Amino acid sequence: MMVAVTVVDIAVGPGVGFLPLLSLGPAFASLVGGWRRTLWIGVMALLLCVALGLYNDMLQARRGYMTIASVAGVTTAGIVAAVMRQQREAELANVRSIAEAAQRVLLKPVPRKAGPLRAAVSYTSAVAEARIGGDLYEMVASPHGVRVIVGDVQGKGLEAVETAAVVLGAFRESAPEEVDLAEVGQRLERAVNRQLHGEKFVTAILAEVTADGVTFLSYGHPAPMVMRADGSVIFPEPPAFALPLGLAAHDTIGPLPFETGFAAGDQLLLYTDGVTEARDDAGRFYPLDERAHVLKEHDPEAALERLRQDLVQHVKGPLRDDAAMLLLRYR
């Protein structure tokens, strides 16, 4: 910028005087660099100001002195601004490191292998600065089979993260102990009822994978997707709709378990509504059933990442809601 001002000033010739524009150099330097770089740019601006002042014969006039004073003043203000910005960036870096540590504790990486299963997980937060939000997932190997959960907390922000932590804590405690999957669901219900008040809720789906197949327990959550070895896709549905976690006060019947087969070459995808309700520019929902073939990659993590990229390409921009996906593949 300062070079451009110098070239224009020389090209136009003496008398016009573009010297005040040299203050743009240190002004913008403070936005992108540290105080040392701002100081260096400010010194260069002052030297150019003196040189162009001699060229325009302005140093003996009041305007020339005011221009030099303006450049010096902008440089000083830029240095102060750069120091304050660097302090805020350091504080933000510390806060982010603590937040990332908390996020890793809350949403730990799922094991890649559990018995005959290979697993992969994908989480995309609707908040650009966050890695987690209101969606949750977990996978636990128990004596009764591999048990997983995928859920979606109503709302966003720290309150949703706190509720997700309660659900995950209850699941991690109960999944290895309880013999029946329904008992795991009841413990989750009790934990959520202690946490939530009013009309807030958590949709969730629990799955238990054994040698006999998969048993599901759905609390108002989107149906799981099962992709068979031959490429066919099914979405198992519960025999009756059940309310989400946190709404047991309405005295409704709890969820009934439902099952499906799960053999070698099959894949199970659990997801939140941030996937199926993602819309493109024309308002069309993401066609998960039509895009299931994306999961044919040999590596489950690569397959799930390809599906996530396909989802982002469908939306053509940032997601409006958190999107969590957990893929289980029968080895």
Side-chain angles (χ1 to χ4, degrees):
M1 295 174 66
M2 293 190 301
V3 170
V5 171
T6 303
V7 171
V8 171
D9 189 87
I10 295 175
V12 173
V16 178
F18 291 90
L19 274 66
L21 295 179
L22 290 173
S23 61
L24 294 175
F28 279 92
S30 64
L31 299 177
V32 296
W35 68 269
R36 292 184 178 86
R37 179 177 179 179
T38 305
L39 176 61
W40 181 71
I41 296 295
V43 172
M44 290 183 58
L46 286 173
L47 294 176
L48 286 174
C49 190
V50 172
L52 291 178
L54 292 173
Y55 173 74
N56 290 281
D57 196 21
M58 294 175 56
L59 289 184
Q60 303 300 325
R62 180 180 299 177
R63 182 182 177 187
Y65 292 115
M66 291 301 298
T67 300
I68 295 176
S70 298
V71 174
V74 172
T75 301
T76 303
I79 292 174
V80 174
V83 171
M84 296 177 63
R85 177 178 55 81
Q86 288 181 316
Q87 291 177 347
R88 289 194 298 268
E89 288 177 350
E91 294 174 357
L92 180 59
N94 292 333
V95 172
R96 283 182 174 176
S97 64
I98 296 173
E100 289 178 358
Q103 291 170 348
R104 287 193 295 268
V105 172
L106 179 58
L107 287 182
K108 299 183 294 185
V110 299
R112 289 190 174 186
K113 297 180 181 180
L117 302 178
R118 296 184 64 188
V121 67
S122 171
Y123 191 101
T124 304
S125 175
V127 182
E129 295 80 8
R131 293 187 180 181
I132 60 174
D135 288 3
L136 57 98
Y137 59 83
E138 184 58 288
M139 175 178 174
V140 176
S142 75
H144 316 291
V146 177
R147 289 173 171 172
V148 298
I149 181 174
V150 170
D152 185 0
V153 180
Q154 179 201 24
K156 294 181 174 62
L158 294 177
E159 186 177 357
V161 174
E162 182 181 2
T163 303
V166 171
V167 176
L168 288 172
F171 179 78
R172 289 164 180 164
E173 181 182 359
S174 60
E177 299 177 357
E178 299 294 344
V179 177
D180 188 34
L181 187 63
E183 291 294 330
V184 178
Q186 292 178 7
R187 291 182 62 171
L188 295 181
E189 186 75 56
R190 291 194 292 268
V192 172
N193 288 338
R194 290 193 298 266
Q195 172 71 21
L196 298 182
H197 303 282
E199 296 298 326
K200 294 186 177 298
F201 58 86
V202 180
T203 68
I205 185 166
L206 283 68
E208 180 182 88
V209 184
T210 63
D212 299 327
V214 188
T215 302
F216 300 102
L217 203 64
S218 178
Y219 290 86
H221 201 77
M225 184 183 77
V226 178
M227 184 176 179
R228 301 300 184 189
D230 59 2
S232 60
V233 176
I234 62 171
F235 290 84
E237 294 281 355
F241 179 81
L243 290 177
L245 295 168
L247 300 181
H250 295 275
D251 296 329
T252 57
I253 300 176
L256 299 176
F258 55 104
E259 302 177 354
T260 188
F262 199 53
D266 291 350
Q267 298 186 83
L268 168 64
L269 180 69
L270 304 179
Y271 54 91
T272 58
D273 58 7
V275 176
T276 52
E277 293 183 1
R279 300 171 181 258
D280 60 9
D281 296 337
R284 294 185 295 263
F285 292 113
Y286 181 70
L288 181 60
D289 54 342
E290 299 176 6
R291 308 302 298 170
H293 63 86
V294 176
L295 296 174
K296 290 184 178 181
E297 290 279 349
H298 175 72
D299 181 64
E301 291 186 348
L304 197 57
E305 175 60 21
R306 185 178 174 188
L307 182 63
R308 190 191 72 85
Q309 294 290 346
D310 188 69
L311 175 65
V312 173
Q313 185 177 2
H314 174 81
V315 178
K316 295 181 180 178
L319 299 180
R320 297 180 179 86
D321 193 8
D322 300 334
M325 295 182 288
L326 192 149
L327 177 66
L328 297 179
R329 180 177 293 178
Y330 201 107
R331 290 191 294 166

